[in-house]
Amino acid sequence: MPIDATLPYDDQNIFAKILRDEIPSKRVYENDYAVAFHDIAPVAPIHILVIPRGSYVSWDDFTARGSDTEIAGFIRAIGHVAREHGLVMPGYRLLANVGGHGGQEVPHLHVHLFGGKPLGPMLAG
Ligand code: 5GP
């Protein structure tokens, strides 16, 4: 069920628990501002989620409230993970779902990083 991206942050969401190590994840990278881990249900050979350490519901919330330092640290983390996984030359895709029409299910900002095969059309259907 997609979330309402205008609601306040809920610190019991699944990615908040992953950040606090209350539930396990397969981390591939972290810096002061971001954590990256494998998606539990990958839809591409490489499917990594990158999340900010800060409490932000969505891309909208982050770009409105996040500091320049947090935003830079987060975006640099995404680029770093893509490079570390050898994705720049073959190419890759980034996706951030926001709210209902975006199909966002987890109310903590996450950017999907997909790669490892030609990814096809931008949107299904
Ligand atoms: P959204 O639809 O919100 O953009 O994407 C949420 C993503 O989180 C989905 O791709 C889903 O597979 C992933 N996900 C949901 N729960 C967990 C979890 O407990 N661990 C990990 N690693 N990924 C999760």
Side-chain angles (χ1 to χ4, degrees):
M1 185 71 137
I3 61 128
D4 175 351
T6 68
L7 290 177
Y9 187 79
D10 169 13
D11 69 3
Q12 293 306 306
N13 78 77
I14 198 86
F15 293 169
K17 292 179 180 178
I18 283 176
L19 275 174
R20 295 192 296 263
D21 275 328
E22 291 170 11
I23 63 167
S25 67
K26 292 182 180 167
R27 292 191 186 202
V28 297
Y29 178 71
E30 51 194 300
N31 67 15
D32 287 346
Y33 305 101
V35 174
F37 52 90
H38 288 288
D39 195 289
I40 203 167
V43 296
I46 295 172
H47 184 175
I48 292 168
L49 300 170
V50 189
I51 68 174
R53 287 192 188 275
S55 300
Y56 299 101
V57 174
S58 70
W59 181 263
D60 177 69
D61 189 22
F62 190 53
T63 54
R65 294 195 300 112
S67 70
D68 291 357
T69 305
E70 286 176 296
I71 290 170
F74 177 65
I75 290 176
R76 284 194 188 282
I78 298 169
H80 180 88
V81 170
R83 285 189 294 277
E84 286 279 293
H85 285 78
L87 295 178
V88 179
M89 191 279 289
Y92 61 98
R93 183 173 293 163
L94 302 176
L95 175 72
N97 294 317
V98 181
H101 282 190
Q104 181 181 359
E105 303 244 330
V106 178
H108 182 114
L109 169 61
H110 46 286
V111 169
H112 297 257
L113 192 165
F114 302 110
K117 69 171 188 181
L119 293 164
M122 190 159 57
L123 291 177

